[in-house]
């Protein structure tokens, strides 16, 4: 039977009954531990994050515990995909050892299937359809992840997205301002509309005001409206976004574009629910729910003096951070399926390429790539989305002096980027030659299978588990 030993912060494979010694030179057989703390605290909580028994907890002290459907389990689960005796947890002073007990569906840590592994407090493992978290006894877990795989227009089954859904599910029912943060293309407007649809204001209007698309001189007119003659070209009264959103929700996108001298008026609009159109002498009452979004770090903007601290705290009563697509690549298949509809099939090699790419433009870029590929695909009921239609194939690496190298960055950053790209290309080539078979690819490349799983997880690459 295989197990894992631990020396100087690393796990290594060992044979039962043999003296465990870590490999001296071959790093491909050394498996780095996760970044979480390796030492176990005196007391832990095993918390069920998702699955049929979400919310249940078990207090762990030093000792051995059984998780499964068996009545003798210290944590007995009702999840039908969990085995009778599924997982053994041994807590000791050097860490927490997890051992799969020959389960039918396996045990997974950071996307990799394991037999025996040592982790630290904070680790999340999945058995069947149940996610378990090993948390310090006094840690604040916050809101448990949602059990849903979507929230109105938002899609994704990943833990990161289900944590977002759980927050939105609770925040939507109130009228507090919500700040949505995330990179361009992560779906901030979609999240805002989902909040509106889940709220008691769903029957009211949902009005979008994108500050990045408005001239800075006209932002206040766009938000609060203006009266006739207020400025050149104002030939009639015009209601602003706040008035248009009456009894509904206003979504102010690209909030970071708002100049410092214009921020006090927005603060008043939110706190007093009053707006004064440009050129008017009186305020108007408005009844709206305010949702804002930005791809900037507003906390850093506050420290730099470019954004009012009082306005920031008023807008960020609830903060929602949308993860970039590269950090939730397990959602790519379901997103791609939604974008494709019934218009074309998706070969495994196309999905592998989609999983390999880093998606700097996030979900928006994925949708655009799929739409472009569909426009180039043969128009038939049996059309397949072949890899070359995506336009994502990495450019061939030139040799010698003609090779393109990263510029505009430090030596260390350039070196790390090149190593990262080489590593990803190497793993993809291994899997292609092994027809996606992880075990075969590991043997071909001289890698430990668990370590290969970690590299695949790091680069968001999928494969077929066998043997």
């Amino acid at each position: 039977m295989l197990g894992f030993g631990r020396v100087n912060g690393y796990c290594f494979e060992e044979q039962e009954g043999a003296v465990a010694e870590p490999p001296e030179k071959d790093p491909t057989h050394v498996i780095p531990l996760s970044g979480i703390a390796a030492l176990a605290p005196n007391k832990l909580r095993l918390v069920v994050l998702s699955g049929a028994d979400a919310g249940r907890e078990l207090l762990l002290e030093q000792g051995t515990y059984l998780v499964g459907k068996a009545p003798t389990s210290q944590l007995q689960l009702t999840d039908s995909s969990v085995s009778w005796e599924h997982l053994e947890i041994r807590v000791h002073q050097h860490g927490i050892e997890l051992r799969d007990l020959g389960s039918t569906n396996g045990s997974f840590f950071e996307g990799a299937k394991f037999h025996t592994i040592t982790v630290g407090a904070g680790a999340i493992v999945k058995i069947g359809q149940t996610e378990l978290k090993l948390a310090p006894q006094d840690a604040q877990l916050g809101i448990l992840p949602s059990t849903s795989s979507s929230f109105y227009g938002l899609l994704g089954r990943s833990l990161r997205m289900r944590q977002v859904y759980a927050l939105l599910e609770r925040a939507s029912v109130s009228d507090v301002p919500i700040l949505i943060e995330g990179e361009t293309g992560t779906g901030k407007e979609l999240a805002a509309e989902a909040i509106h649809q889940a709220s008691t204001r769903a029957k009211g209007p949902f009005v979008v005001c994108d500050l990045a698309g408005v001239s800075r001189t006209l932002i206040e007119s766009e938000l609060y409206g203006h009266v006739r003659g207020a400025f050149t070209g104002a030939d009639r009264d015009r209601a602003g976004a706040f008035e248009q959103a009456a009894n509904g929700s206003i979504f102010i996108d690209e909030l970071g574009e708002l100049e410092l001298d214009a921020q006090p008026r927005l603060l008043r609009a939110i706190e007093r629910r009053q707006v004064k159109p440009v050129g008017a002498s009186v305020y108007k009452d408005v009844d709206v729910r305010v949702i804002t979004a930005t791809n900037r770090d507003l906390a850093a903007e506050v420290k730099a003096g470019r954004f009012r601290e009082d306005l920031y705290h008023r807008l960020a009563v609830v903060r929602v951070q949308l993860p970039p697509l590269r950090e939730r690549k397990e959602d790519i298949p379901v997103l791609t399926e939604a974008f494709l509809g019934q218009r074309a099939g998706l070969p495994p090699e196309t999905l592998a390429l989609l999983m390999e790419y880093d998606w700097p433009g996030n979900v928006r870029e994925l949708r655009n790539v799929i739409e472009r590929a569909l426009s180039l695909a043969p128009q038939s009921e049996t059309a397949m989305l072949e890899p070359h239609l995506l336009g994502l194939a990495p450019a061939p690496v030139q040799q010698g002096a003609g090779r393109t190298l990263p510029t505009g960055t430090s030596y260390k950053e350039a070196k790390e980027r090149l190593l990262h790209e080489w590593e990803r290309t190497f793993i993809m080539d291994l899997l292609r030659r092994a027809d996606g078979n992880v075990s075969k690819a590991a043997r071909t490349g001289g890698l430990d299978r668990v370590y290969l799983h970690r590299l695949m997880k790091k680069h968001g690459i999928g494969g077929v588990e066998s043997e």
Side-chain angles (χ1 to χ4, degrees), residues 85 109 116 169 187 278 386 460:
E85 293 185 346
F109 173 64
T116 303
E169 286 165 1
V278 178
E386 299 298 336

Side-chain angles (χ1 to χ4, degrees), residues 48-56 76-82 127 129-131 147:
V48 182
L49 293 181
S50 65
D53 304 283
R56 292 189 57 194
Q76 185 179 7
L77 301 174
T78 59
D79 182 352
S80 60
S81 58
V82 169
I127 60 174
Q129 297 302 311
T130 297
E131 288 171 312
T147 57

Side-chain angles (χ1 to χ4, degrees), residues 270-342:
I270 296 168
E271 288 191 328
R272 300 193 181 185
R273 296 197 171 192
Q274 290 181 330
V275 298
K276 185 169 69 172
V278 178
S281 57
V282 296
Y283 284 91
K284 295 182 177 181
D285 293 331
V286 288
D287 179 17
V288 298
R289 202 266 178 82
V290 179
I291 307 169
T292 55
T294 181
N295 58 11
R296 297 189 187 183
D297 183 348
L298 282 192
E301 294 290 294
V302 169
K303 288 183 179 179
R306 292 187 292 267
F307 203 88
R308 289 178 62 110
E309 185 174 9
D310 51 0
L311 177 59
Y312 170 71
H313 290 302
R314 193 69 187 89
L315 292 171
V317 176
V318 175
R319 291 176 58 199
V320 179
Q321 182 73 44
L322 294 183
L325 187 55
R326 63 182 174 275
E327 293 180 6
R328 58 176 187 111
K329 285 192 172 183
E330 59 265 48
D331 290 333
I332 288 177
V334 68
L335 289 168
T336 302
E337 183 180 346
F339 297 149
L340 282 175
Q342 303 298 319

Side-chain angles (χ1 to χ4, degrees), residues 443-460:
R443 288 197 301 271
T444 302
L447 298 170
D448 183 275
R449 185 170 57 83
V450 178
Y451 184 61
L452 177 56
H453 266 299
R454 289 187 180 276
L455 291 176
M456 291 166 63
K457 175 69 175 177
K458 172 183 175 182
H459 295 287

